[in-house]
Each structure stands twice: as C-alpha cells, then as structure tokens.
Amino acid sequence: AKMAAAAGDSATPGLGADDLFQTFYTEVKQIEKRDSVLTPKQQIDRLLRPGASYFNLNPFEVLQLDPEATDEEIKKRFRQLSILVHPDKNQDDAERAQQAFEAVEKAYRLLQDGEQKKRAVDVIHAGKEYVEHNMKEKKKQLKKEGKPMDVEEDDPELFRQAVYKQTMKLFAELEIKRKEREAKDMHERKRQREEEIEAQEKAKRDREWQKNFEETRDGRVDSWRNFQAKGKTKKEKKNRTFLKPPKVKMEQRD
C-alpha cells in the first residue's frame, strides 16, 4: 500500500508495483535498444508514464545514466534531455513537456549535490546487493533440497530487472519515510506555533487586564472611601444616646 501511494495518482488502476515495473522496464529497454536518444515525444512519455513519481525517484533513471557516470557525463546528458523535452521545442504538448522538463531538472539538481548523489548511488548498490543476497539464499535452499541450483536471476537480463525492481522499491521506501518525517515535523511546528499564539494572546489579555485595573484604581479607592464614610456615619447615629430625665418618686404618706 505504501509503495502504491508513492506511485502517485498517475498509476494505472489495477496494476500493482511489480506489474508496473515489469511492463515499463520492458517497454523502456526496448525503446532504448531501438534509439538510445529517443525522440522528444518518447522522452516525454517515458518521464510521465503511469507511476512516474515512483520511477523518477531515481535521478540516474530519469537521466538514463549509470551510477558510475562522471559529473561531465551527467552535465552532458542533462543538456541533451532538457533540450529534447523543453516546452519551447514541444509547443504542441507544452504542458506535458513542462512536467517532463521539471523532472529532468530536478534529477540534475539532485546529482549536483554531492551528498544526495552519494545517497542515490548507495541505494542502487543496496538494491543490487539485496538481489545477490537473495540469489545466494535461493541457491542454498535448492542445494539443501538436493535440487539444481539454478535461479531465474542467473539470466543477465532477469538479474537487471530484479535489481531495477528492488532499487525502485528502496527509493520509494526512503521517499515514504521522508514524507512521514516531513509530516511529523510540520505537525510539530504547527503545535509549537499554536502554543506561541496562545501564549501571546494570554500575555495580551494579562496586559489589558492590568491596564484596566490601573485605570480604574482611583475610582475603586474613592468608592471604598465613600463606603467607609457612610458606614461610619450610620454607626455614629446608631450609637448616639440622649439623657433621660430622672424619675420622680411619689412621696409616701402615712
């Protein structure tokens, strides 16, 4: 499912990753044998074929170069391809030509970065090593079972296809992980930004409260003084006493 997602919306419905690999590996290799340069239309079709976002993860695949290619060979190939698929040279299909041109340009920029180039070469070598290891394991199992130690990858063409498939899968897995990291980082940045905004809003509310508190302080003090003064007046009235005349005693008569 992850590799299918990496293939993008352009993947052919109903075809799995392995089917896409087999179909387009065969088609592209047949075309390359017939014409090592390819016509502009063929190059555009190759670069935009179904699953292109999957296949084009390998910059050497985009430029049709071996990983051992020198910087000068990479530069020369970029010039050839960029001219072939440039929108100005393909005005009858300018939109698709622009997409193909961008794919070529992206691959070239990536290979201009020493670290990115080394990473791409390492992935290709890892794909080959995986296939070779898998072949050894198959032969070991066949020997254990007492069967002829012949595997389909012994055929040079089938070996290249297996390496091609495995290499693309590795590129796809790395891209998926990159996108997952990017999504995680984006989520973290969003969370931090939301916390910053909330802290700013809280600080603003606190400043406004403090400002209002200070502006109304004099009024509160006056109100409190008036309240105390009224209370004191009422208390004085309540505690005020008046002198009463002495009671007159009636004289007692004998």
Side-chain angles (χ1 to χ4, degrees), residues 218-232:
D218 292 342
R220 291 195 307 275
V221 170
D222 291 341
S223 296
W224 175 247
R225 287 173 177 170
N226 292 336
F227 173 77
Q228 285 183 318
K230 290 180 180 179
K232 185 175 181 181

Side-chain angles (χ1 to χ4, degrees), residues 224-241:
W224 175 247
R225 287 173 177 170
N226 292 336
F227 173 77
Q228 285 183 318
K230 290 180 180 179
K232 185 175 181 181
T233 300
K234 288 181 180 180
K235 186 175 181 181
E236 288 175 351
K237 287 181 180 180
K238 184 177 181 180
N239 294 335
R240 186 179 297 165
T241 57

Side-chain angles (χ1 to χ4, degrees), residues 14-226:
L15 285 181
D18 288 340
D19 294 325
L20 284 171
F21 276 128
Q22 184 60 44
T23 300
F24 294 109
Y25 179 89
T26 302
E27 289 180 358
V28 169
K29 293 306 174 184
Q30 287 176 346
I31 293 172
E32 288 177 349
K33 287 178 181 179
R34 184 177 69 244
D35 185 349
S36 61
V37 176
L38 304 185
T39 65
K41 183 182 184 308
Q42 288 172 330
Q43 283 291 1
I44 292 172
D45 289 343
R46 179 182 71 87
L47 293 166
L48 301 182
R49 64 196 184 276
S53 60
Y54 192 17
F55 297 105
N56 292 349
L57 291 172
N58 182 350
F60 291 101
E61 168 68 16
V62 173
L63 299 180
Q64 297 177 303
L65 289 170
D66 292 328
E68 292 78 18
T70 64
D71 291 343
E72 185 60 33
E73 289 172 334
I74 293 171
K75 187 175 183 180
K76 181 179 178 180
R77 185 57 179 161
F78 166 68
R79 288 175 177 174
Q80 291 174 340
L81 275 180
S82 61
I83 291 173
L84 279 175
V85 302
H86 198 283
D88 291 346
K89 302 290 185 180
N90 299 274
Q91 295 185 7
D92 57 331
D93 196 10
E95 184 175 345
R96 295 179 73 246
Q98 179 63 34
Q99 294 176 25
F101 179 81
E102 289 173 359
V104 171
E105 191 175 41
K106 180 180 178 181
Y108 178 67
R109 284 201 310 269
L110 190 150
L111 293 180
Q112 290 296 293
D113 184 316
E115 184 178 343
Q116 293 289 339
K117 179 182 178 182
K118 182 180 182 304
R119 189 175 302 170
V121 171
D122 288 345
V123 172
I124 294 172
H125 287 167
K128 182 179 179 181
E129 290 173 0
Y130 177 89
V131 173
E132 290 174 342
H133 173 76
N134 196 39
M135 287 176 65
K136 289 180 181 178
E137 291 299 312
K138 286 182 181 180
K139 288 177 180 292
K140 187 185 297 184
Q141 183 62 31
L142 289 170
K143 182 178 180 180
K144 185 178 180 180
E145 296 172 357
K147 297 178 181 179
M149 293 187 296
D150 297 326
V151 295
E152 62 179 9
E153 289 86 0
D154 288 332
D155 182 294
E157 183 60 26
L158 293 179
F159 176 79
R160 283 193 291 270
Q161 289 186 32
V163 172
Y164 183 85
K165 290 180 182 181
Q166 186 58 36
T167 299
M168 290 301 100
K169 288 178 181 179
L170 291 176
F171 273 108
E173 289 172 0
L174 289 175
E175 178 67 5
I176 290 167
K177 290 179 181 179
R178 185 192 68 79
K179 288 183 176 180
E180 288 176 347
R181 288 195 303 270
E182 189 177 78
K184 184 178 180 180
D185 292 343
M186 184 179 297
H187 176 75
E188 181 63 20
R189 288 195 298 271
K190 181 180 179 182
R191 185 187 65 79
Q192 291 178 354
R193 181 56 182 160
E194 288 174 348
E195 289 181 354
E196 289 174 1
I197 293 174
E198 176 59 26
Q200 291 172 359
E201 291 179 347
K202 183 179 182 301
K204 182 180 179 181
R205 290 194 299 269
D206 291 345
R207 287 194 301 270
E208 290 177 349
W209 184 90
Q210 185 65 28
K211 181 180 179 182
N212 292 335
F213 179 84
E214 293 175 356
E215 289 177 348
T216 59
R217 179 173 54 192
D218 292 342
R220 291 195 307 275
V221 170
D222 291 341
S223 296
W224 175 247
R225 287 173 177 170
N226 292 336

